[in-house]
């Protein structure tokens, strides 16, 4: 068990703080929701009922879709685009999908390579793009979940105000949906741009996301 924790400590650490943050969001969100219920002469709800509500679902989904969009775009952009001096970029001159030798596929596969890396056709194409496909799928599902949950939450509010409910099509082209969506997107894009640019000149000793402390500012694609 100790060895498993050590070898997977990075994933386990972020999974733990994700769960803690999600729980904290549920507690804080329930308190905010119940405050509004009292203002509207409604009944407070339990934390479990709040977690099952569209209000909680839309807040979670809109954050997830923006995060996975960020990673999807970063994964795809770094295939073709480079940034001189950044460890988040490939080395200059290696733009593109690279050769089979560089990617260790087909006859260039090594012992321990995934079995599909040695195959051809569809299996090789799938494993060669599997990270992007999965990130894109999670983004699409999260975006859909956000739109459905947001519609349900918005219509509940509209009915409280004695207004007619919206349909899904009207909601996803409306200002409420895109205001929430673009609010998250712009922060994710700024965070990526900051990481790419700041890592040219700044260092974090021992981090895989930083260049070695003594590496030149112009060194590209080198991680500590």
């Amino acid at each position: 068990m100790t060895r498993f924790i050590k070898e997977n400590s990075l994933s386990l650490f972020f999974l733990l703080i994700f769960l803690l943050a999600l729980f904290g969001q549920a507690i804080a969100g329930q308190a905010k929701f119940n405050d509004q219920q009292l203002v509207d002469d409604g009944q407070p709800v339990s934390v479990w009922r709040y977690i099952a509500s569209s209000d909680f679902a839309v807040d979670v989904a809109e954050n997830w879709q923006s995060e996975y969009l960020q990673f999807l775009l970063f994964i795809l952009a770094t295939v073709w685009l480079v940034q001189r001096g950044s460890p988040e970029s490939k080395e200059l001159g290696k733009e593109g999908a690279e050769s089979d030798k560089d990617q260790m596929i087909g006859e260039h596969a090594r012992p321990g390579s995934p079995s599909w890396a040695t195959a051809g056709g569809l299996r090789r194409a799938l494993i060669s793009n599997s990270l992007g496909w999965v990130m894109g799928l999670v983004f699409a599902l999260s975006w859909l979940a956000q739109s459905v949950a947001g519609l349900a939450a918005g219509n509940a509010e509209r009915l409280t105000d004695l207004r007619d409910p919206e349909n899904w099509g009207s909601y996803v082209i409306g200002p409420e949906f895109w205001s929430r969506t673009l609010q998250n997107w712009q922060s994710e894009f700024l965070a990526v741009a900051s990481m790419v640019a700041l890592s040219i000149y700044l260092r974090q000793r021992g981090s895989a996301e930083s260049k070695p402390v003594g590496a030149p500012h112009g060194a590209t694609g080198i991680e500590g």
Side-chain angles (χ1 to χ4, degrees), residues 48-80:
W48 300 114
R49 185 176 174 186
Y50 174 71
I51 289 174
S53 72
S54 57
D55 292 82
F56 181 70
V58 68
D59 288 340
V60 172
E62 75 176 50
N63 281 288
W64 287 17
Q65 62 90 0
S66 63
E67 294 290 348
Y68 279 94
L69 176 63
Q70 171 197 159
F71 283 113
L72 172 64
L73 293 179
F74 190 63
I75 289 165
L76 297 181
T78 53
V79 175
W80 299 100

